[in-house]
Amino acid sequence: MIQIDLVTGFLGSGKTTFLKKYAEYLVSQGFHVGIIENDFGAVNIDMLMLQDLLGDRIDVEQIVGGSVVTDWKRRFRTKLISMAMRGFNRILVEPSGIYDVDAFFDVLHDEPIDTWYEVGNIITIVDANMDATMSRQEEYLMVSQSANAGKILLSKTQEAQPQAMQNTVTHLNRIMEAFKCARRFSLPAVHSSCDAMFSQAPSTHASDPMLSDASIVFCKPWDDLTEEDFSSISTCGWVRADHEKLWFDPKKTFSSLFFMHVRCTQEELQNAVTKIFESKDLGIVFRMKGYLPLPEGDWLQLNATPGNIITQRVPIGQEILIVIGQDLQEATLRPYFFPAK
């Protein structure tokens, strides 16, 4: 059977950055890897970040849109059927950050999908500096994405203090309890020690939902990942755990806005993004991402969450900026990207 891994996590947690490293490791181990990308809304710009992975042993497919769960399931099922015929022996799925993992299991248990695929690993990416103030819908999605994880990878740990990482795990445990999930998590005893993190057996298909040993939470900077680290992650499995369901319409609760033909310098863009995150009159902004064309012919890539604004020059881009959040006010957001000259 074809092993399928889910790499999930909330908006801006760093899923795509990890996915690139993980896919490269699997290819180095001889796997023929297929990646399924899905973003919130009708435009998937994260696909561009994965273009340099394309080759004989790896391919990237996308599910466009699908913000309604039934649409996503149908498109995901169709994509899996087509990919089963193409000789992949490892599939990686990166869904939108606004994602209920129940949808993943629903499709994997359908016929004929269940005769071709088996769930391999569920890897959840959590920002080490996770925002302590989250809506109930955001907290529910965090629980859904974490409840079945074989590994929880804290991202951006090089920018986080030990207390911030502990606060993140404490917050995660609190919302697990709030949604009646039995699982609890804890930090490794020594954050920087690979040996300390992987001294215990992996949790593949664990039956004990209360499993909370240090092998579950991983908090090592990703640039320092070794082959041993990836080997442990690639065999982490998943855990059967229940939690209380929160019914809401993601399409009505969360929204995305698209801004085309934005023209500004890197400094102007960073100033605009900083002001947007600081403003209280624009709605709740979770993430901003996209590309701006540069006069020299390259592109300026934006990847921003509150407190972490990254811009870099890249050779490939798409002329769009995307803002994702709740109760977004387009009329008041637009002037930040199109200031009067």
Side-chain angles (χ1 to χ4, degrees):
M1 297 183 75
I2 304 169
Q3 180 170 316
I4 183 167
D5 293 356
L6 180 68
V7 179
T8 188
F10 197 63
L11 293 164
S13 59
K15 297 187 299 298
T16 305
T17 301
F18 170 75
L19 188 70
K20 289 183 67 174
K21 296 177 180 292
Y22 186 44
E24 289 171 342
Y25 164 76
L26 292 174
V27 170
S28 75
Q29 300 302 301
F31 288 100
H32 186 190
V33 179
I35 299 175
I36 299 177
E37 270 282 322
N38 176 229
D39 210 344
F40 184 73
V43 180
N44 189 345
I45 65 172
D46 286 344
M47 282 282 292
L48 293 175
M49 295 179 62
L50 301 174
Q51 291 303 299
D52 58 340
L53 290 177
L54 298 178
D56 293 340
R57 305 293 298 174
I58 190 167
D59 198 7
V60 183
E61 299 282 344
Q62 66 175 321
I63 301 174
V64 179
S67 54
V68 177
V69 174
T70 52
D71 288 346
W72 189 89
K73 287 182 182 179
R74 174 174 51 81
R75 295 172 186 177
F76 182 41
R77 188 176 188 275
T78 301
K79 187 68 67 177
L80 288 177
I81 291 173
S82 67
M83 296 183 81
M85 310 299 177
R86 294 173 54 193
F88 296 108
N89 51 21
R90 198 69 171 257
I91 299 291
L92 309 181
V93 178
E94 183 195 359
S96 160
I98 300 169
Y99 181 72
D100 189 333
V101 173
D102 284 352
F104 174 76
F105 284 111
D106 288 346
V107 175
L108 266 292
H109 291 156
D110 281 348
E111 294 183 347
I113 304 298
D114 61 349
T115 64
W116 298 332
Y117 292 94
E118 62 179 349
V119 181
N121 306 296
I122 295 182
I123 303 164
T124 302
I125 313 299
V126 176
D127 193 323
N129 287 299
M130 185 170 67
D131 189 354
T133 58
M134 303 174 71
S135 68
R136 182 164 173 78
Q137 291 88 351
E138 290 176 79
E139 291 187 334
Y140 169 75
L141 291 173
M142 284 296 306
V143 170
S144 171
Q145 294 167 5
S146 304
N148 303 108
K151 274 275 193 283
I152 291 183
L153 275 58
L154 298 188
S155 62
K156 310 165 192 174
T157 56
Q158 67 277 10
E159 304 165 6
Q161 297 298 317
Q163 187 57 55
M165 290 189 282
Q166 182 58 62
N167 292 344
T168 292
V169 173
T170 299
H171 183 189
L172 188 56
N173 285 336
R174 180 182 63 77
I175 62 178
M176 298 294 278
E177 181 178 9
F179 283 93
K180 299 180 174 58
C181 181
R183 294 197 75 188
R184 300 293 182 268
F185 307 106
S186 60
L187 287 176
V190 181
H191 302 316
S192 60
S193 169
C194 176
D195 292 338
M197 280 186 253
F198 297 128
S199 59
Q200 303 181 53
S203 59
T204 305
H205 302 282
S207 59
D208 181 6
M210 282 300 292
L211 189 65
S212 62
D213 61 64
S215 67
I216 301 299
V217 178
F218 181 103
C219 49
K220 183 177 183 180
W222 293 353
D223 286 342
D224 298 334
L225 294 177
T226 66
E227 186 168 312
E228 182 182 1
D229 298 337
F230 279 118
S231 177
S232 177
I233 293 169
S234 69
T235 56
C236 69
W238 58 285
V239 172
R240 301 182 188 277
D242 296 324
H243 58 82
E244 183 180 73
K245 188 78 173 178
L246 178 64
W247 298 101
F248 67 97
D249 185 344
K251 192 174 182 180
K252 294 180 179 179
T253 305
F254 302 99
S255 59
S256 57
L257 299 175
F258 305 90
F259 298 95
M260 311 289 291
H261 308 298
V262 176
R263 294 289 188 275
C264 58
T265 66
Q266 180 171 346
E267 182 179 1
E268 289 171 338
L269 179 63
Q270 288 179 311
N271 288 337
V273 171
T274 299
K275 291 177 181 177
I276 288 171
F277 280 127
E278 292 174 348
S279 175
K280 306 298 182 183
D281 303 319
L282 307 173
I284 303 172
V285 179
F286 300 141
R287 190 181 183 194
M288 286 179 273
K289 58 183 179 178
Y291 300 85
L292 297 180
L294 295 173
E296 302 85 355
D298 286 339
W299 295 80
L300 183 67
Q301 181 189 69
L302 170 70
N303 195 347
T305 55
N308 188 29
I309 301 171
I310 300 173
T311 56
Q312 61 181 337
R313 184 184 294 266
V314 295
I316 301 174
Q318 182 177 355
E319 196 167 319
I320 189 170
L321 289 178
I322 302 176
V323 181
I324 304 174
Q326 287 181 284
D327 304 318
L328 298 179
Q329 307 298 311
E330 182 174 6
T332 48
L333 269 167
R334 181 169 290 276
Y336 285 91
F337 297 121
F338 299 94
K341 298 295 185 179

